[in-house]
Amino acid sequence: MALPSFVKFDYTLRPSKQVERKLLIELLHRLGTEIGAYDIRRYTYLGFGSVYYTDFVLFHKYLYIDRMICVESEDIPKRMEFNRPYDFIQLHMAPFSDVLPKLDRETRYVMWLDYDTGITLDQMQDIRGAISVLAPGSIILITVDGEPRIPFDIDKSGMTRDEKKAATVGQLEEQFGSLLAEPLRLADFTPNSFPRALAKIIGNQIAVATETRGDLEFAQLVNFRYKDGAQMLSLGGVLDSADRVRELRESGVMNLAFVNAGAEPVTISVPPLTIREKLWLDQHSDPVDLVFEMDEEMVESFQRYRRYYPRYHEVLL
């Protein structure tokens, strides 16, 4: 049985994930300033906090949200309660599907379904359930493992590597093919292509679920891929009335460089840098002649996410 990701990684020390969080904070802030109807301070944040509660701390500090719900299905109630950073966080030790019926349908949520596993039918059910209860104006984001992994049962089957890959693609096609315009191919089951297929599956599941509401449209704003060990895929946006979605699409929010309404994910990648290297790059916005060795692609990546680049230092408390 695979260990939960919070056991393997400190969620606060994942640079690409931290960049993603900062991009989301900027996006939500701009939503609130560009369109008065999106007063994010008055929203309720619902997320999967794990023992680190990183998103909760950041969203409270920088978005001023003080209505929060944390959902955790692992059997660690004492750790979750001990590490809960604010007493206003409602903690539910249960699967998300058990919490859904308890949500207030009049409340606007920023809902981040941040899974640490590959795509599953249960996740698709969670998406359908979430969209069925979310109030107009709510924001939903889904994150899944974006690695093209061979399931454990197939991995034990004695097939060749190519046969296992073909069997996995067939399994995925059987489960999610109805959400794809074209059949899933073996060529889609690669580290570079698989996130695109996942984005289409999740985006189409959101679209189908939204259509059943009748009163809502979905405006996709986020489609990221990033890697701090495992490759991850995040897709999400706003659920609202047709008029409000039209206002959003005509607003300055859509001009943010990282906003992505398409199927091809935007890659978040930040290079590992020493403190001196970062300081030098900060002081040279157009580094024609680098004074140290670094690939041009790494320099461009840093420049793209310069404002969001995290630095970590040891502090003795």
Side-chain angles (χ1 to χ4, degrees):
M1 182 176 177
L3 290 173
S5 63
F6 73 86
V7 176
K8 297 182 285 185
F9 304 106
D10 183 339
Y11 284 4
T12 59
L13 302 177
R14 297 165 63 190
S16 296
K17 180 72 171 182
Q18 194 71 349
V19 169
E20 179 188 45
R21 293 186 184 105
K22 292 179 179 181
L23 294 175
L24 291 173
I25 288 170
E26 180 170 342
L27 172 61
L28 293 172
H29 176 72
R30 286 289 297 272
L31 267 175
T33 55
E34 292 274 344
I35 305 172
Y38 298 119
D39 189 354
I40 301 298
R41 296 170 303 169
R42 301 185 183 278
Y43 278 56
T44 296
Y45 175 61
L46 185 152
F48 302 164
S50 186
V51 295
Y52 299 102
Y53 288 95
T54 307
D55 309 328
F56 291 79
V57 173
L58 288 173
F59 288 2
H60 175 60
K61 284 187 174 182
Y62 298 109
L63 295 172
Y64 314 113
I65 298 175
D66 56 12
R67 300 178 182 89
M68 295 182 155
I69 298 172
C70 179
V71 180
E72 178 56 60
S73 60
E74 293 290 336
D75 188 19
I76 49 170
K78 292 180 181 179
R79 288 193 73 181
M80 292 300 298
E81 186 60 43
F82 180 81
N83 287 289
R84 187 165 60 117
Y86 309 117
D87 60 3
F88 55 74
I89 298 177
Q90 298 178 34
L91 177 59
H92 293 271
M93 299 300 303
F96 176 67
S97 56
D98 291 351
V99 177
L100 259 176
K102 304 174 184 177
L103 299 182
D104 183 359
R105 297 187 178 220
E106 302 300 318
T107 295
R108 287 184 169 190
Y109 289 92
V110 174
M111 181 180 288
W112 192 350
L113 307 183
D114 192 356
Y115 302 100
D116 60 2
T117 64
I119 194 166
T120 67
L121 292 173
D122 286 343
Q123 293 167 3
M124 298 299 101
Q125 180 61 42
D126 285 348
I127 292 171
R128 291 193 296 269
I131 291 176
S132 73
V133 304
L134 286 175
S138 292
I139 295 143
I140 185 170
L141 181 72
I142 297 94
T143 298
V144 298
D145 187 326
E147 294 287 349
R149 302 184 188 277
I150 295 173
F152 182 73
D153 56 344
I154 293 178
D155 198 32
K156 297 274 286 185
S157 64
M159 299 178 183
T160 67
R161 178 70 177 174
D162 288 344
E163 289 172 339
K164 290 173 183 177
K165 289 173 66 175
T168 302
V169 170
Q171 188 178 89
L172 290 167
E173 172 64 26
E174 181 179 349
Q175 292 174 329
F176 306 109
S178 63
L179 295 170
L180 292 168
E182 299 178 355
L184 198 65
R185 304 165 302 161
L186 199 59
D188 297 317
F189 197 66
T190 65
N192 191 50
S193 299
F194 195 50
R196 186 186 313 117
L198 291 177
K200 291 177 181 178
I201 291 170
I202 294 171
N204 288 335
Q205 180 62 87
I206 293 173
V208 170
T210 304
E211 286 178 6
T212 64
R213 282 287 300 264
D215 61 332
L216 294 181
E217 289 189 10
F218 176 66
Q220 180 182 307
L221 300 174
V222 169
N223 185 3
F224 299 140
R225 60 185 285 189
Y226 59 93
K227 188 170 185 177
D228 292 310
Q231 178 172 238
M232 306 298 290
L233 183 281
S234 294
L235 187 141
V238 175
L239 291 161
D240 214 336
S241 67
D243 288 344
R244 193 74 71 199
V245 166
R246 189 179 307 111
E247 181 182 1
L248 169 59
R249 287 175 173 152
E250 294 173 354
S251 73
V253 172
M254 305 306 295
N255 296 327
L256 291 170
F258 56 84
V259 165
N260 180 9
E264 184 67 39
V266 169
T267 300
I268 297 173
S269 176
V270 290
L273 299 171
T274 68
I275 294 174
R276 292 189 68 185
E277 288 168 349
K278 180 184 182 301
L279 291 174
W280 191 92
L281 289 170
D282 281 338
Q283 295 165 1
H284 299 79
S285 58
D286 186 21
V288 176
D289 297 315
L290 280 171
V291 295
F292 48 87
E293 300 85 3
M294 181 167 289
D295 292 342
E296 183 178 345
E297 184 178 346
M298 292 179 67
V299 175
E300 291 175 354
S301 176
F302 172 78
Q303 291 176 322
R304 188 178 305 115
Y305 298 111
R306 178 194 306 270
R307 289 199 297 119
Y308 316 100
Y309 192 92
R311 290 302 312 177
Y312 302 109
H313 304 276
E314 181 179 15
V315 178
L316 301 179
L317 299 176

